[in-house]
Amino acid sequence: AVGSNTTAVMGSWFTGLYPFRHGLRSFRDRKFTGRPIAMAEILRDNGYSTHATVTEAMAAGEDILNGFEEVERRDKKKEAIHDGYGERCRFKLGQLNRSSRPWFYFIHTCELHPDRQCDPRFRSRRWGHDFYDRSLSSLDYHLGPIFDSVDWDDTVVVVFGDHGDNLLWEPSGELASKVMNRLRGDNRVSALSA
């Protein structure tokens, strides 16, 4: 990854520039340095309809979503792929598949970032050693119906992770995971010692 946070990495993915060139180096950065052209702008200007479903990690960015004609912003703590927006993604894909225009649809899941999102049906050890593994199993399961909604004859799908995460301190229980996520969110993880 070119950066350690979503904003920096997505800025690079959408512009083809390193963070030190586009200016989005941390979550606090909201505007590009200068005026780099974003991929959605190029696609839109060439006749594509452009759509995005993003979480708070990207939603506040002023420039990162340039070129998207339609942007759905969601709070991942209130709604996850297994309880709402996954169905909306499938519905949107159905609409786009019927469209006569070519389209670009960017879906930012964010389920594996702290606060991890996991369908309650996947919270047992059967689905993984720790809460990260279980969240991954849940995400994998819920991506299936979205992929089933893709018209594979006329669609290119790109799946990627934007940056890594430190799993060294990954708690194995759900309660411990919630505590750790809370500490991470408050920037107090450094106070913990082994």
Side-chain angles (χ1 to χ4, degrees):
V2 297
S4 61
N5 64 72
T6 299
T7 310
V9 175
M10 291 295 105
S12 293
W13 200 79
F14 286 133
T15 65
L17 301 172
Y18 287 114
F20 65 86
R21 293 280 187 227
H22 61 64
L24 303 178
R25 297 176 65 104
S26 77
F27 283 118
R28 293 181 305 274
D29 298 327
R30 298 292 175 230
K31 294 181 72 70
F32 287 138
T33 301
R35 183 63 180 97
I37 297 172
M39 177 174 45
E41 292 175 282
I42 295 168
L43 292 169
R44 180 201 61 208
D45 293 348
N46 283 279
Y48 282 71
S49 64
T50 53
H51 312 269
T53 297
V54 298
T55 63
E56 66 277 4
M58 293 179 59
E62 295 177 35
D63 292 341
I64 201 165
L65 299 172
N66 285 347
F68 285 102
E69 299 165 330
E70 178 184 33
V71 177
E72 176 192 1
R73 292 169 168 86
R74 69 176 181 87
D75 182 342
K76 76 167 191 158
K77 294 175 187 169
K78 294 180 181 173
E79 183 180 42
I81 196 168
H82 61 272
D83 65 6
Y85 92 87
E87 180 62 35
R88 286 197 311 281
C89 291
R90 290 190 297 276
F91 180 78
K92 180 52 127 181
L93 281 166
Q95 287 180 319
L96 294 171
N97 286 335
R98 292 185 298 276
S99 173
S100 61
R101 285 177 70 191
W103 50 269
F104 173 61
Y105 185 26
F106 177 76
I107 303 170
H108 183 237
T109 62
C110 211
E111 262 67 9
L112 297 180
H113 290 350
D115 296 310
R116 304 199 199 296
Q117 304 301 311
C118 184
D119 182 332
R121 296 175 294 175
F122 289 85
R123 292 184 179 170
S124 71
R125 290 189 64 80
R126 174 180 180 214
W127 300 105
H129 174 71
D130 54 31
F131 197 62
Y132 180 89
D133 294 344
R134 296 168 197 162
S135 297
L136 178 60
S137 293
S138 172
L139 176 62
D140 182 59
Y141 175 83
H142 290 286
L143 284 174
I146 293 173
F147 288 142
D148 289 344
S149 300
V150 171
D151 176 357
W152 292 101
D153 291 331
D154 291 321
T155 308
V156 174
V157 174
V158 178
V159 178
F160 67 96
D162 56 354
H163 58 85
D165 202 356
N166 183 352
L167 300 180
L168 179 64
W169 294 101
E170 185 67 23
S172 59
E174 184 177 354
L175 176 61
S177 183
K178 286 181 179 181
V179 169
M180 182 60 85
N181 285 335
R182 178 71 176 163
L183 292 173
R184 286 178 180 143
D186 292 343
N187 295 319
R188 289 186 275 175
V189 170
S190 60
L192 300 175
S193 60

